[in-house]
Amino acid sequence: MNRFSIYIFAVIGCIGTATYAQQDPQFTQYTINPLAVNSAYAGTRGHTTITGLHRTQWVGIDGAPRTQTLSIDGPVGDRVGLGLSVINDELGPSEEVYGDLNFSYTVPLNENYKLSFGLKGGFRVFNLDFTKGLQREAGDGSFQQQGIDNKFFPTAGAGLFLRSKRKYIGLSVPNILKVEHFDQNA
């Protein structure tokens, strides 16, 4: 068996393990709004940057996804970057507001490449109103549950950002902490 086959089996084996996911806001313009995804990006442009985006999908459909984001970041000193990111995300009956502080530290690897390490911490405030964004039959009892008002969750994330003048690559975990928004069986 050659090495390529071994790598393929190793990757397939990792995919088959238990995983947990989170519903984070969707963005199509990561190059415009990298701070919302990767904390290591804070301050890497070398000047203060303010970014605002609005995304609406399926316009005219009740409960359609809508996301707004506002971020500001910039360098503080030679190797440190700081940033703030605020996101409002609406999807069907749920609404979530995110607030994150981002910190990055950059290490020059050589004259062409720099590697930034990032950490972020913040919060999410989650609301769930089963009367919004749902099409249902009159008398349908499946959505007679109580909603959720202002449920608070702490967040923590980390990232790496390797760059040169012409190339870049990033790796991040936007939220390391596992949270349970609600128990639908309750």
Side-chain angles (χ1 to χ4, degrees):
M1 186 179 286
N2 63 20
R3 285 186 181 194
F4 181 73
S5 298
I6 293 170
Y7 292 137
I8 293 296
F9 283 120
V11 168
I12 290 172
C14 291
I15 292 172
T17 61
T19 59
Y20 299 95
Q22 52 205 12
Q23 174 64 41
D24 286 331
Q26 296 180 4
F27 297 104
T28 56
Q29 303 297 328
Y30 288 109
T31 56
I32 295 172
N33 191 29
L35 193 61
V37 179
N38 192 342
S39 57
Y41 192 81
T44 59
R45 288 188 182 174
H47 54 83
T48 301
T49 304
I50 300 173
T51 304
L53 292 173
H54 173 83
R55 177 180 185 269
T56 302
Q57 186 174 335
W58 307 325
V59 176
I61 296 176
D62 194 26
R66 289 189 332 189
T67 305
Q68 300 86 30
T69 178
L70 178 65
S71 63
I72 182 169
D73 72 286
V76 179
D78 190 32
R79 295 185 178 190
V80 175
L82 294 177
L84 171 68
S85 180
V86 178
I87 300 170
N88 179 54
D89 189 41
E90 299 173 29
L91 176 61
S94 69
E95 180 180 335
E96 204 160 5
V97 176
Y98 304 65
D100 292 310
L101 291 174
N102 299 273
F103 168 83
S104 72
Y105 185 79
T106 301
V107 177
L109 299 177
N110 58 34
E111 62 275 352
N112 294 322
Y113 287 94
K114 295 179 180 181
L115 179 62
S116 296
F117 301 89
L119 294 173
K120 79 174 179 177
F123 66 90
R124 293 181 178 186
V125 177
F126 180 71
N127 291 294
L128 185 64
D129 182 355
F130 283 110
T131 64
K132 289 174 41 180
L134 298 172
Q135 299 291 329
R136 60 190 178 282
E137 298 286 325
D140 183 0
S142 61
F143 291 104
Q144 299 301 320
Q145 301 176 24
Q146 292 290 330
I148 297 172
D149 289 326
N150 298 321
K151 190 169 184 180
F152 180 86
F153 301 105
T155 60
L160 297 171
F161 183 55
L162 177 66
R163 68 190 181 285
S164 70
K165 289 184 179 181
R166 293 186 166 205
K167 303 173 194 171
Y168 66 90
I169 187 168
L171 176 68
S172 71
V173 179
N175 190 10
I176 296 169
L177 304 177
K178 179 183 173 188
V179 297
E180 199 167 296
H181 285 75
F182 67 97
D183 181 4
Q184 60 187 355
N185 297 322

